């Protein structure tokens, strides 16, 4: 996945990607809430939707903007939100991957 740094800093562009993904409305709403949580916690991120899988790449914490450097408190808030979403929705599963210092949150949506 190519990382568009400008897109990562503009929450509205990411929300547009989520909104036009073709996923069911329920999942779009959940992902929009998650994107708000990420944005509020001052993390640069990007989103890719491929079929029933959503890949959220956490790039860096603001204001440092150094790839792979994150504020621990912010990461905890985001991972807690993912946990809550998964706990409340049986049709979602998630896992994390580390790739080149970036944290990937992978959400699989059963349809």
């Amino acid at each position: 996945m190519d990382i568009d740094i400008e897109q990562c800093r503009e929450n509205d562009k990411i929300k547009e990607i989520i909104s036009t993904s073709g996923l069911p409305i329920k999942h779009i709403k959940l992902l929009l809430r998650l994107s708000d949580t990420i944005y509020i916690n001052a993390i640069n991120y990007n989103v890719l939707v491929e079929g029933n899988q959503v890949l959220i790449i956490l790039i860096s914490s603001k204001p440092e903007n150094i790839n792979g450097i994150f504020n621990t408190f912010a990461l905890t808030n985001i991972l807690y939100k993912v946990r809550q979403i998964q706990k409340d929705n049986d049709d979602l599963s998630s896992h994390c991957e580390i790739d080149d210092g970036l944290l990937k949150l992978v959400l699989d949506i059963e349809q």
Side-chain angles (χ1 to χ4, degrees), residues 15-111:
K15 285 184 167 194
E16 184 178 334
I17 290 170
I18 293 169
S19 297
T20 59
S21 66
L23 292 170
I25 298 295
K26 168 189 169 183
H27 297 113
I28 288 174
K29 287 180 180 180
L30 292 171
L31 291 171
L32 290 175
R33 275 191 248 145
L34 181 56
S35 72
D36 283 340
T37 301
I38 295 169
Y39 186 73
I40 288 168
N41 280 281
I43 292 205
N44 294 313
Y45 71 111
N46 209 333
V47 171
L48 176 66
V49 179
E50 292 181 327
N52 295 338
Q53 190 173 69
V54 180
L55 178 64
I56 301 171
I57 299 179
L58 304 179
I59 299 167
S60 62
S61 284
K62 300 173 187 174
E64 292 81 12
N65 297 326
I66 300 169
N67 285 5
I69 304 295
F70 300 99
N71 176 306
T72 306
F73 183 74
L75 275 181
T76 302
N77 289 340
I78 293 164
L79 294 174
Y80 180 78
K81 184 68 168 184
V82 170
R83 178 177 168 251
Q84 284 303 113
I85 288 173
Q86 185 175 339
K87 184 177 171 184
D88 295 340
N89 296 276
D90 293 338
D91 54 353
L92 288 175
S93 61
S94 67
H95 68 275
C96 296
E97 300 173 4
I98 305 280
D99 185 16
D100 198 27
L102 306 178
L103 179 61
K104 295 181 181 182
L105 301 175
V106 181
L107 300 171
D108 291 308
I109 300 170
E110 296 175 20
Q111 290 188 354

